[in-house]
Amino acid sequence: IPRLVRRALCLPQKCPGYLPVFRSIRAKSVTILMYHGVTAKPLPVFNWCQLPMEEFEAQILFLCEEYCVFPLSEVIHRLSRKLPLPERAVCLTFDDGFRNVLTTAAPIMKRYEIPATVFLVTSLVDTDQPAWPELLYHAVATTRKASLSLFGTVWPLETLAHQALAFVGIVEHLKNMDAQEKDRQLETVFLALEVQPKIEPDSVLSTMNWDEVWQLHKTGLFTFGAHTHTHQILSRLAPDAQHDELRKSREILLERMGSADFFAYPNGTRADFTDTTKKFVRELGYSCGLSTQIGLVGAHDDLYELRRVGIGADTTRTQFELRMLGL
């Protein structure tokens, strides 16, 4: 397969029949797509997590034409019982619970009757506030400072491109710290940028409240899973703290929504959760754990380390077609 992948990437797009052949080869695998937010207007400072509405609708239309979109629950049911997987199956997931999933993505999904699972950070529901990376994005995008000296680097902030690069670089530094140190350093960043880390309810970065979650639920297209209680990277926490994050988010979802079967790891690379984390996820009663490791899902994959395909604001339509194939 790696050799085929390399050859596929070298083939010109104009080659007749090239993509359909690969769709046939990958027909028995499932693509779990990972989105975050969908925006009616592009953000001035680039944010990978916020996909323009026009691109999202084009992707949905492509999926309707070339694939079969299934609820995540159907795929997990089949994987857990060793049942055959549907051909050309794809699932949609959204991380973090942005309000724009309701206001911007959901109308498109209703039009095409596309199901999805939304992973909620339970402590943030009803607060309007997003997880810490988006608070940092807001601070970097709105500061009046011309530069920021941090982690041995001077980050220019004078242009939109500078701000976008600074945001990505600072986030990556913070993600590599343990949770307590990250929180301390984050406060230092906000002070240095001279920006209050608060999102207004009408911001494109705001998150849903429970009434809005129920609005999505009542469409019959949306189910909900946990994305921890406070969006900490689990491997940066002690085992007891990991267990608390997983337990609290599940208990709140069970109380509010009546079910809490699905879980997605924050950040989600293999360095962001441990075998102990996976054990907790399983023992607490979640039926799966979704990572951000790139790839398709096969019949024999670990239910608590399922791969996804991340789609962001810079994903072109050609790249989208290729990523659907795991390329």
Side-chain angles (χ1 to χ4, degrees):
I1 292 299
R3 185 177 300 168
L4 290 174
V5 169
R6 288 193 296 272
R7 289 178 179 175
L9 292 172
C10 292
L11 284 171
Q13 282 298 110
K14 63 183 180 181
C15 182
Y18 140 64
L19 286 176
V21 167
F22 273 85
R23 288 188 199 113
S24 177
I25 292 171
R26 295 300 184 97
K28 295 296 185 182
S29 300
V30 177
T31 307
I32 303 178
L33 292 174
M34 178 187 68
Y35 292 97
H36 289 78
V38 179
T39 61
K41 296 179 181 179
L43 295 173
V45 177
F46 179 79
N47 186 322
W48 185 87
C49 289
Q50 302 298 328
L51 185 72
M53 177 176 64
E54 294 79 9
E55 290 302 315
F56 180 70
E57 183 159 13
Q59 292 169 8
I60 293 297
L61 182 59
F62 172 76
L63 295 178
C64 290
E65 292 172 346
E66 300 292 345
Y67 291 87
C68 297
V69 184
F70 287 87
L72 181 62
S73 57
E74 174 68 17
V75 169
I76 299 303
H77 171 82
R78 292 183 182 230
L79 286 171
S80 63
R81 289 162 177 78
K82 307 300 182 185
L83 299 174
L85 293 171
E87 290 201 1
R88 295 192 179 187
V90 58
C91 302
L92 271 67
T93 64
F94 290 85
D95 286 6
D96 298 343
F98 288 105
R99 180 170 283 125
N100 59 40
V101 175
L102 170 69
T103 59
T104 309
I108 296 170
M109 298 174 73
K110 289 179 188 176
R111 195 176 309 142
Y112 297 98
E113 297 186 348
I114 298 294
T117 297
V118 180
F119 291 99
L120 300 172
V121 182
T122 48
S123 72
L124 300 179
V125 183
D126 273 344
T127 70
D128 294 321
Q129 302 307 298
W132 68 266
E134 302 308 316
L135 292 176
L136 177 61
Y137 169 86
H138 167 72
V140 171
T142 59
T143 185
R144 295 184 178 181
K145 302 287 285 186
S147 65
L148 177 66
S149 181
L150 194 69
F151 311 128
T153 300
V154 176
W155 307 93
L157 299 170
E158 295 173 321
T159 68
L160 299 178
H162 285 153
Q163 291 171 332
L165 288 172
F167 165 64
V168 171
I170 296 167
V171 163
E172 289 307 310
H173 275 285
L174 292 170
K175 283 179 178 179
N176 288 318
M177 300 175 183
D178 67 57
Q180 290 185 337
E181 178 62 18
K182 180 264 295 177
D183 290 341
R184 286 194 295 269
Q185 291 290 346
L186 192 58
E187 289 300 319
T188 300
V189 175
F190 291 141
L191 288 172
L193 292 172
E194 299 178 358
V195 175
Q196 179 70 22
K198 183 178 181 181
I199 298 296
E200 297 302 320
D202 61 351
S203 168
V204 72
L205 301 175
S206 65
T207 51
M208 288 185 284
N209 58 44
W210 287 113
D211 287 342
E212 291 167 327
V213 170
W214 268 100
Q215 286 182 49
L216 280 181
H217 176 73
K218 286 187 289 187
T219 66
L221 294 174
F222 289 87
T223 54
F224 297 88
H227 201 37
T228 70
H229 188 56
T230 66
H231 204 273
Q232 298 286 4
I233 295 177
L234 291 169
S235 64
R236 310 296 191 266
L237 297 172
D240 286 351
Q242 290 189 45
H243 192 275
D244 283 347
E245 286 280 339
L246 296 163
R247 176 185 56 79
K248 286 178 182 177
S249 54
R250 178 167 163 77
E251 288 177 352
I252 290 169
L253 273 177
L254 284 171
E255 179 184 352
R256 291 283 189 167
M257 307 303 298
S259 64
D261 294 330
F262 313 125
F263 180 77
Y265 301 99
N267 211 48
T269 73
R270 192 57 186 89
D272 299 323
F273 57 94
T274 67
D275 289 341
T276 298
T277 315
K278 290 167 59 177
K279 175 174 173 286
F280 289 155
V281 173
R282 183 176 60 253
E283 291 177 349
L284 283 165
Y286 293 104
S287 62
C288 62
L290 274 59
S291 73
T292 63
Q293 296 175 95
I294 300 170
L296 308 186
V297 173
H300 303 292
D301 285 354
D302 184 347
L303 281 169
Y304 294 92
E305 196 174 327
L306 294 176
R307 294 182 295 276
R308 288 191 286 177
V309 174
I311 305 299
D314 61 351
T315 304
T316 68
R317 297 187 189 186
T318 298
Q319 287 171 338
F320 182 78
E321 293 189 30
L322 292 172
R323 289 178 187 177
M324 286 298 304
L325 303 171
L327 303 177

